[in-house]
Amino acid sequence: MGEGSHGSILNGNYATNRVNSRWKATGQWYADGIAIPGAWGGALRITPALEGAAIFLRVDPHIWVSDGDPGYAGSSYQSSVFGQWQADGVDIPGAVGLRWEMTPAYEGAAISLDYRPIIRIVQGQGYAGSRLRSNLSGQWFADGAAIPGAIGRELIISAALEGAAISQDAEVTIMQSNTIQMWVPERALTAPQKANGGLWLGEDRTTVERNGADYITAWRDKFGVRDMTQPTAANQPRAGTFRGMPAVIWDKSPAYQYLQPSASFAPMWWLVLAEFATGVEIISGTSTGSAIYTQILGNGQAALARVSFQQPDAVQSGTSAIRMNAADTEVSSGIFPMPMGSMSFGVSASASWCIGRGFDANNNRQWVGPILGAIALGVVPDLATRHLIEAYMHWRHGLEERLPANHPYRNAPPRVQ
């Protein structure tokens, strides 16, 4: 609402031009965000005390039962405005809109509707690239601070906004919306968990162009602890996309491709989101007569190789037990073919853990295929934390269908609130 001059009258019809012009609005009038005592109805006379104030009308919704018995499960509640349904003054999860059908859990509760900005995720899973939409136009906020230039009904989550508490104040009503905040490792994990770890995602990379293609010179750590780098051109994996998502790609090549830290570190647990080759091949022997044990991690020493993928009928010394796609149990052999999914495993030795590197002198024990992301922790996570990390990595990359049916985040990505 705009300001009114002394003695002028503002009415609810004007206010609802921005809300719903089909009906005359009545409600509580506000000045500079504070309710004006006794100012309830469809019109307000501007007094000297109100001159210059930002005046707005908060519309009281009209709700009714259109079908079924009021107060009992199966009855259909309707509202004159779009809002959040509440039971005994508490938001009913997911009950947003003009209509709500009562369930047995809410029988006997006082049902109401809170008319305020309601924001929802309408595209994506709430992470970078997702689209949020509000029923009202207004200013968007991240962690309580206004996002410059973000005014309207929609907001695209940028990488800088990922994991922030996103909310909105409506342009007309100056009311706070609900909050959407996704769980992300860089915000939620502790310093000891990060100290000997790192979080590398496909889009966080520095590249150099050669022969019309981009190659990775550095893979930036979202924890800000250690970047993985490769200054040697012949050993740089390629920057590309997989299913439309940024990825780091290890091609089959005579070169020995890997990314390395600046110094040794001692992670205790890894989760890597990757696919072997095209996801259908089964590895075979090499010209040396031995099997290809494709390794996603290593440091150039046989004793410290990890995740040595093997033929189903062969096992190599030093092979790690692997948890595939957040499964309840780990496996140690027979995991090929392997389409895109997650692998988590523990390690125990301090080393210059390199991504994509093995230890074979003939350069045939490197990783082959795309990697969308990797996370390492300095401690083995407890079950609840492991579930959160698995869910984040899968949902963020559109692979939630790979989570087990009994996974606590199989049907929804993890949120802080």
Side-chain angles (χ1 to χ4, degrees), residues 72 103-104 202 251 287 350 399 406:
Y72 291 94
T103 61
D251 296 311
S287 59
S350 176
L399 294 168
N406 64 345

Side-chain angles (χ1 to χ4, degrees), residues 192-200 221 223 225-226 265-267 376-378:
Q193 289 172 317
K194 297 177 183 179
N196 273 294
L199 174 60
W200 304 273
D221 175 14
F223 289 170
V225 178
R226 60 181 52 78
F265 66 113
L377 300 185

Side-chain angles (χ1 to χ4, degrees), residues 173-317:
T173 59
I174 320 178
M175 291 183 293
Q176 188 74 24
S177 73
N178 57 313
T179 300
I180 295 176
Q181 184 173 12
M182 309 307 297
W183 188 94
V184 295
E186 61 267 37
R187 285 172 168 255
L189 296 179
T190 65
Q193 289 172 317
K194 297 177 183 179
N196 273 294
L199 174 60
W200 304 273
L201 299 176
E203 63 267 32
D204 297 317
R205 63 202 185 190
T206 302
T207 63
V208 60
E209 185 176 358
R210 297 197 311 275
N211 301 321
D214 289 330
Y215 290 86
I216 306 294
T217 58
W219 204 358
R220 296 185 295 279
D221 175 14
K222 293 185 79 70
F223 289 170
V225 178
R226 60 181 52 78
D227 294 344
M228 293 285 184
T229 63
Q230 181 51 265
T232 304
N235 301 127
Q236 293 167 353
R238 182 169 53 86
T241 59
F242 179 84
R243 294 188 179 180
M245 294 173 287
V248 179
I249 300 174
W250 274 256
D251 296 311
K252 289 185 177 180
S253 169
Y256 196 22
Q257 303 166 4
Y258 62 96
L259 295 166
Q260 61 187 2
S262 59
S264 296
F265 66 113
M268 295 293 291
W269 183 84
W270 285 80
L271 183 145
V272 183
L273 201 61
E275 175 175 290
F276 174 67
T278 64
V280 296
E281 294 96 335
I282 295 179
I283 54 178
S284 60
T286 70
S287 59
T288 63
S290 63
I292 298 177
Y293 297 93
T294 302
Q295 294 162 345
I296 203 165
L297 291 178
N299 79 327
Q301 300 178 35
L304 294 180
R306 289 297 183 269
V307 191
S308 303
F309 291 99
Q310 69 277 357
Q311 292 171 286
D313 59 350
V315 177
Q316 179 193 8
S317 174

